[in-house]
Amino acid sequence: MARQEEFHEEHARLVLDRMGDPRFVQRTVGADGVATLTWDAGSEAGTELREGFQAQFAAFREKFGREPGPKDPVFFDPDADEPTPLSQRSFDDAVDHMLKAAEDAGVDPAPIHAWREVGYLVTEENQHLFSAAEVQAYADAVTRHRGDVDDIDDIDLAATVELSADGLRDLIDETITSGMEEPAWRLGAALDHADDPDAAGLAATTLTAVLMSWLTSAKATATTDLAGPALGWIRQNLDDEPADQAFQLAGLLGSPLAPNLTVNEALDRLGDAFLPALIWLVAGLVATEANGDVEWLTQFDPDID
């Protein structure tokens, strides 16, 4: 736990140090939840970004014979006849090309494999734009693809649970502060696109166990209704559909109205929304029972020796 706390503190200091620093790209989130990136055109990062966009605009002009418009995608499908956002297949083909080029040049391909697995690329220059959990997830993926963890049986389960709980707390905090359902979907997408199915399966199982432990442990110590306020918060701050999906799992918080489902039945009913629904339910619980303080959940962390 001390190691994780130290990492989170170091990352928080880094984010604060770079906030407003013109040498680094800055991200702001508006009232509508839309994130905007800004940068100093004269900085090194600004120069690199400008050159990258100029190259994309040149490729657009060559492909479609005109200047890109405000609604045209910057990164477009090279096989489409009309400007179309880059498809997953085209992205995968581009990543495959980069992997081959890296291997041919003798460059470590692990960071590219990790990018494909988690859906984003963390560098020394941009790590302040990500949460500590996202940076850790990317670093863990790089480690796996370098072969530093060869056998799933060698993984320290207690450490895995600790990392999962810390990462989930960051994700739930983001869900509460942004009032958006997207962070939970992002986690599910990362697991779905992981290159290592065994590692993704272990991660999904561990994440589910942590989330369910939080919910059932909170219910065991409660003296008032937990499910009603949590579902109300989800409906008010996220949307009706996430609330309806979270309701399917509200029996974990003792709701007498929710269906009595086994895990397998809930998986069949919710499909890809199963893990996000657990996250939304915990977010609603923390928002209404702990005034949004995710550290409140630590008392309910699974106890694994």
Side-chain angles (χ1 to χ4, degrees):
M1 184 67 73
R3 177 171 57 86
Q4 282 302 302
E5 289 178 354
E6 181 180 356
F7 171 73
H8 280 247
E9 289 173 0
E10 289 177 354
H11 185 73
R13 284 195 295 270
L14 176 73
V15 172
L16 288 174
D17 288 344
R18 293 185 177 182
M19 187 178 298
D21 189 331
R23 295 175 299 172
F24 300 97
V25 176
Q26 302 294 314
R27 179 173 63 180
T28 56
V29 180
D32 57 358
V34 175
T36 302
L37 297 180
T38 58
W39 56 86
D40 184 342
S43 67
E44 182 178 351
T47 300
E48 292 176 353
L49 286 167
R50 183 175 64 253
E51 291 175 350
F53 281 122
Q54 287 174 345
Q56 281 300 117
F57 294 152
F60 185 98
R61 288 192 292 269
E62 182 177 352
K63 171 69 177 178
F64 301 110
R66 63 174 177 83
E67 292 292 329
K71 294 185 178 180
D72 288 322
V74 175
F75 299 97
F76 54 86
D77 189 336
D79 298 322
D81 294 330
E82 296 294 331
T84 305
L86 190 67
S87 66
Q88 185 64 47
R89 179 177 178 181
S90 295
F91 173 77
D92 289 339
D93 288 345
V95 173
D96 287 339
H97 179 76
M98 284 188 285
L99 285 169
K100 185 177 186 307
E103 291 168 357
D104 290 346
V107 176
D108 180 12
I112 303 175
H113 282 295
W115 174 28
R116 168 180 277 174
E117 178 179 329
V118 302
Y120 52 87
L121 181 68
V122 178
T123 68
E124 173 62 31
E125 295 299 318
N126 74 5
Q127 59 179 305
H128 62 290
L129 300 176
F130 299 93
S131 70
E134 289 171 327
V135 174
Q136 186 67 61
Y138 178 81
D140 289 345
V142 171
T143 297
R144 283 195 301 276
H145 288 291
R146 282 178 175 154
D148 294 342
V149 179
D150 296 322
D151 191 339
I152 201 169
D153 295 330
D154 292 337
I155 295 176
D156 184 335
L157 183 57
T160 300
V161 169
E162 179 183 323
L163 287 170
S164 298
D166 286 340
L168 284 170
R169 271 187 280 273
D170 285 345
L171 195 68
I172 289 161
D173 182 62
E174 182 181 354
T175 300
I176 294 171
T177 55
S178 70
M180 299 176 66
E181 59 184 275
E182 186 273 335
W185 286 117
R186 189 175 67 234
L187 175 61
L191 292 171
D192 288 342
H193 292 94
D195 286 344
D196 187 339
D198 289 336
L202 174 63
T205 299
T206 306
L207 293 167
T208 300
V210 171
L211 290 163
M212 293 181 70
S213 174
W214 286 343
L215 293 167
T216 56
S217 297
K219 180 190 73 171
T221 61
T223 57
T224 59
D225 175 35
L226 299 179
L231 291 170
W233 182 90
I234 298 169
R235 195 171 300 280
Q236 180 178 355
N237 292 273
L238 301 185
D239 208 343
D240 288 340
E241 187 174 6
D244 291 340
Q245 291 165 331
F247 173 73
Q248 301 299 317
L249 303 172
L252 294 167
L253 282 179
S255 171
L257 302 176
N260 184 20
L261 303 176
T262 66
V263 172
N264 286 337
E265 289 170 340
L267 280 165
D268 289 340
R269 183 171 296 191
L270 292 171
D272 290 341
F274 174 74
L275 190 58
L278 280 172
I279 292 170
W280 298 327
L281 192 57
V282 173
L285 173 67
V286 173
T288 54
E289 286 297 306
N291 197 31
D293 181 6
V294 293
E295 293 306 313
W296 175 78
L297 292 167
T298 57
Q299 63 186 306
F300 305 126
D301 283 354
D303 184 13
I304 297 180
D305 296 328

